[in-house]
């Protein structure tokens, strides 16, 4: 079955600390992978995506993600978190059929 | 420009009202989507239009009626909604089925 798992429902980090949000997927075909961020009451903003090529992908706002096929993972990282990064983060997998499979999301809280 | 616009931002309606949500994109995308998102949940796909034709209907109740008047516009007509239909309604667009989906800011719908 196709699925996306974000094991951490909530994560709290201090401002300036590093961040890693986990995403594991189960997908039969070559996956297209995405990370989106959503501030309260807002739409989803694309942070980065992976289709093919270099497995380390750079995105906006200083985020990066690494695709590891052997581990079926696409973890999101940021070396130094800012208070404005507090939001909900969604990992998604697509495969060319219009449908995304979303993870359940990780809510990030940033301590001043 | 990767902007998808949605109007209105907020909508309050009674169960006997008829209202419409509007979505617009000028990126030349040929696929457009409606999602419903409840609090603390990932978006749920409702409808997909591809080249202005309804491509996917995720068994959505008939009180939701989508319309795609042209390649830039997507409407969602609402009639006889229930309080449980209260949610954030998100529109998205992509170049095609495989493409990255870009989301609008959403319409916060409250059904009284």
């Amino acid at each position: 079955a196709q699925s996306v798992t974000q094991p951490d429902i909530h994560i709290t980090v201090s401002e300036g600390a590093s961040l890693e949000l986990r995403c594991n997927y189960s997908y039969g075909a070559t996956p297209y992978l995405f990370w989106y961020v959503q501030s309260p009451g807002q739409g989803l903003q694309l942070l980065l995506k992976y289709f093919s090529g270099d497995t380390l992908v750079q995105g906006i706002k200083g985020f990066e993600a690494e695709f590891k096929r052997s581990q079926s993972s696409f973890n999101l990282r940021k070396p130094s978190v800012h208070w404005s990064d507090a939001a909900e983060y969604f990992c998604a997998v697509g495969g060319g059929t219009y449908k995304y499979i979303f993870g359940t999301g990780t809510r990030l809280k940033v301590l001043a | 420009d990767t902007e998808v616009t949605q109007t209105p931002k907020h909508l309050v309606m009674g169960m006997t009202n008829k209202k419409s949500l509007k979505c617009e994109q000028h990126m030349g995308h040929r696929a457009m989507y409606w999602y419903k998102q409840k609090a603390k949940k990932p978006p749920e796909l409702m409808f997909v239009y591809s080249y202005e034709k309804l491509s996917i209907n995720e068994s959505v109740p008939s009180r939701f009626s989508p319309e795609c008047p042209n390649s830039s516009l997507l409407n969602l007509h609402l009639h006889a909604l229930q309080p449980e239909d209260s949610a954030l309604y998100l529109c998205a667009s992509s170049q095609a089925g495989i493409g990255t989906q870009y989301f609008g800011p959403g319409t916060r719908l409250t059904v009284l």
Side-chain angles (χ1 to χ4, degrees):
Chain A
Q2 300 174 348
S3 65
V4 176
T5 301
Q6 293 181 245
D8 304 303
I9 298 174
H10 298 280
I11 283 187
T12 300
V13 300
S14 297
E15 192 171 19
S18 64
L19 173 69
E20 183 170 30
L21 302 183
R22 295 182 289 164
C23 174
N24 293 97
Y25 67 89
S26 173
Y27 200 78
T30 301
Y32 300 110
L33 296 157
F34 308 88
W35 274 101
Y36 287 88
V37 62
Q38 186 178 32
S39 296
Q42 301 296 313
L44 276 67
Q45 182 181 23
L46 178 70
L47 285 175
L48 46 77
K49 61 188 177 185
Y50 174 79
F51 285 3
S52 65
D54 191 346
T55 57
L56 184 63
V57 181
Q58 301 297 319
I60 63 171
K61 304 186 179 191
F63 285 93
E64 67 177 25
E66 186 170 13
F67 171 58
K68 293 185 177 180
R69 184 184 299 275
S70 62
Q71 298 177 22
S72 296
S73 69
F74 188 56
N75 294 347
L76 182 71
R77 301 192 293 248
K78 186 170 184 178
S80 177
V81 170
H82 188 262
W83 65 266
S84 60
D85 294 323
E88 187 87 23
Y89 291 79
F90 291 101
C91 179
V93 174
T97 62
Y98 297 103
K99 292 186 180 184
Y100 276 8
I101 302 170
F102 281 95
T104 50
T106 297
R107 181 166 296 274
L108 175 65
K109 182 177 179 180
V110 180
L111 301 176
Chain B
D1 184 12
T2 56
E3 188 177 27
V4 176
T5 59
Q6 290 187 243
T7 53
K9 279 185 149 313
H10 302 275
L11 179 62
V12 179
M13 60 186 292
M15 289 190 285
T16 58
N17 292 157
K18 286 185 180 181
K19 297 285 185 184
S20 297
L21 310 185
K22 179 180 172 181
C23 172
E24 197 163 5
Q25 57 89 14
H26 295 288
M27 295 177 277
H29 290 172
R30 302 312 299 268
M32 295 186 77
Y33 309 72
W34 279 115
Y35 286 88
K36 173 183 178 180
Q37 187 180 26
K38 300 287 269 186
K40 302 184 181 181
K41 298 287 187 183
E44 298 173 22
L45 184 64
M46 299 174 71
F47 303 103
V48 180
Y49 273 82
S50 177
Y51 292 86
E52 297 150 57
K53 292 186 179 177
L54 185 63
S55 177
I56 294 175
N57 176 343
E58 291 285 56
S59 303
V60 178
S62 60
R63 57 186 184 268
F64 295 91
S65 176
E67 178 195 21
C68 189
N70 58 58
S71 59
S72 301
L73 266 178
L74 185 66
N75 298 320
L76 186 63
H77 303 298
L78 314 172
H79 174 53
L81 294 192
Q82 304 298 309
E84 59 264 30
D85 296 322
S86 298
L88 182 67
Y89 288 83
L90 295 165
C91 175
S93 70
S94 69
Q95 286 186 333
I98 298 176
T100 304
Q101 293 183 28
Y102 295 92
F103 286 80
T107 293
R108 171 71 60 189
L109 174 67
T110 302
V111 182
L112 301 177

